[in-house]
Amino acid sequence: MKDHAVETANAGKFQNPAVTADGQTRASVALTRPETLWFNTGTLCNITCLNCYIDSSPTNDALVYMTADEVSDYLAQLKARNWPVHEIGLTGGEPFMNPEIIEITRRALVAGYAVLILTNAMLPMMRPTMRAGIAELNAAFPGKLTLRISLDHWDEPRHDAERGQGSFAKTLKGMDFLRDTGVPMAVAGRALWHESDAAARTGYRHLFQSRCYDIDADNPGQCVLFPEMDMTAEVPEITTACWDILNKSPNDVMCASSRMVVKRKGSQSPTVLACTLLAYEPEFELGTTLAEAERDVALNHPHCAKFCVLGGASCSA
C-alpha cells in the first residue's frame, strides 16, 4: 500500500535497499538491543483521524485482530531466542476494540514484561468489561502497566480538529478514570501546529496540573511529541556516511531496539515487521518468526530518514 505523495516527492529515491539514488551505500540497522516487541492488535478504530499514520478507521481491517494465543507464541519465542526485551507494546487501531485485549495484556504481564498500551482512552476503553480488566491488572501488577493516551494537543479545538468534535472531552473522561484507578499514564502529542517544544510542553503541563494527572510534561518518555509526518515532503536518503556526519549511531534508531508483529487480513499467521510505522510496506516484512526478524534493516523509506534518523523519534519511552 504505497503512498503516491511519498513517491512523487521522492521520485527516484528509496528504490534499492542496498544503494541510494546517487549510488552511495545505503545505511542499514542491526537489531543490537531488542527492548520492545510491539503487537498491532488490529487497525479497526472507533474514530478516523486526519493524520493517522496507519489509516486506522471504523472500516479499515487490513490488519485483523491479534489473538491472545498468537501473542503467547511470540512471548515464548522471546524466551527461546533470549531477546533482552523488557516491554511489550500494544497498538492499533484502537487496542480496546480487540475483544481479547485484556487477556493479551494479562499474558504479557504474567510472562514478566512491562506493558505499554497506546489508546485514545475513548468509548472502547470505557466499556465496563474493559475498565474492570484494566483495574484488575493494575492492582495485580502494580507499576507494570502503562497506558499512553493519544492527546494530539493540549488545546481542545486543535485536538478535535484532528480527531472529531467532542473527542477531547471523551479522552479526558477516560484519563480521569485512569487517574482515579491509579493506572500509570503517558501522553502522545503531535508537532503539527508550528509550536515550539517548550510552548507545547507548557500547555500540556498546565492541563496535567489542572486535572491532577501524574504525568511529567517535561519528560519526553511521559509526554511524547511526535514530529509531523508530511507525506509530501522531500527527504534525504541515509547513507553509511551519514552516521558520522550527523553524529548519530545506528543503535539510536527504532529498528535497532524493536520489532512489530501484525496479522494481515486473509493471512494464516502473523508476520514480523521491522518498524511500527511501516505496516503496509512488504519490503519491511522480515518473516513469520523472531529468528527471521533478527536480520538487518535497510533504511529504504522516507520515514526512516525524517521520523527516525533526523527526527529522533521513538515509539517507546
Side-chain angles (χ1 to χ4, degrees):
M1 196 159 117
K2 289 280 188 183
D3 190 290
H4 293 299
V6 170
E7 292 181 335
T8 301
N10 296 282
K13 298 181 180 180
F14 305 104
Q15 301 299 311
N16 187 321
V19 296
T20 61
D22 61 0
Q24 298 186 65
T25 302
R26 184 179 304 284
S28 62
V29 174
L31 184 69
T32 54
R33 51 181 189 90
E35 297 176 350
T36 304
L37 181 61
W38 288 92
F39 292 90
N40 188 297
T41 60
T43 40
L44 286 173
C45 188
N46 56 304
I47 57 175
T48 302
C49 300
L50 286 181
N51 292 285
C52 181
Y53 77 92
I54 204 167
D55 296 328
S56 297
S57 76
T59 59
N60 180 12
D61 61 350
L63 303 182
V64 297
Y65 288 146
M66 192 75 61
T67 69
D69 285 345
E70 287 165 341
V71 169
S72 288
D73 176 64
Y74 283 95
L75 297 180
Q77 290 183 50
L78 279 178
K79 300 294 187 184
R81 301 301 300 173
N82 199 30
W83 284 20
V85 161
H86 62 84
E87 176 186 63
I88 299 300
L90 304 176
T91 184
E94 170 50 51
F96 287 102
M97 290 184 68
N98 185 315
E100 296 191 34
I101 188 62
I102 297 298
E103 181 60 21
I104 288 170
T105 305
R106 185 192 314 279
R107 293 191 189 189
L109 290 167
V110 167
Y113 299 101
V115 176
L116 175 66
I117 305 179
L118 310 191
T119 177
N120 57 39
M122 295 174 71
L123 296 180
M125 189 196 80
M126 291 295 283
R127 288 175 291 167
T129 54
M130 295 299 173
R131 283 187 286 148
I134 292 168
E136 176 197 346
L137 292 176
N138 184 62
F141 301 92
K144 299 291 286 183
L145 172 63
T146 300
L147 271 63
R148 192 167 78 197
I149 317 303
S150 297
L151 197 65
D152 285 339
H153 200 268
W154 50 266
D155 175 67
E156 183 172 7
R158 290 181 178 178
H159 175 90
D160 282 1
E162 287 291 312
R163 294 181 175 258
Q165 188 69 31
S167 62
F168 187 82
K170 292 175 183 176
T171 292
L172 292 190
K173 183 177 180 180
M175 293 180 72
D176 288 349
F177 157 72
L178 297 172
R179 175 200 64 201
D180 296 342
T181 311
V183 179
M185 284 189 288
V187 155
R190 298 179 185 229
L192 290 173
W193 293 275
H194 307 290
E195 182 178 44
S196 72
D197 183 85
R201 294 188 185 282
T202 296
Y204 279 109
R205 187 184 310 110
H206 290 159
L207 175 65
F208 299 158
Q209 291 174 348
S210 71
R211 302 188 75 91
C212 298
Y213 296 154
D214 186 17
I215 305 172
D216 182 357
D218 295 309
N219 182 337
Q222 292 189 31
C223 185
V224 188
L225 301 181
F226 287 115
E228 183 177 0
M229 295 172 67
D230 183 358
M231 302 297 189
T232 65
E234 182 178 4
V235 296
E237 296 183 283
I238 304 299
T239 70
T240 53
C242 289
W243 302 123
D244 288 335
I245 295 170
L246 298 171
N247 194 28
K248 292 200 172 187
S249 167
N251 293 334
D252 298 331
V253 182
M254 267 197 293
C255 46
S257 62
S258 67
R259 293 289 186 264
M260 183 170 78
V261 183
V262 305
K263 188 173 184 181
R264 302 198 188 283
K265 187 176 183 179
S267 296
Q268 294 299 308
S269 61
T271 190
V272 187
L273 307 184
C275 180
T276 61
L277 302 177
L278 299 171
Y280 303 122
E281 307 291 342
E283 61 266 37
F284 287 88
E285 288 191 10
L286 302 177
T288 60
T289 67
L290 296 187
E292 293 172 296
E294 290 173 354
R295 58 190 173 93
D296 294 1
V297 177
L299 301 185
N300 193 30
H301 192 278
H303 289 349
C304 302
K306 184 170 185 181
F307 192 83
C308 295
V309 177
L310 301 176
S314 172
C315 286
S316 295

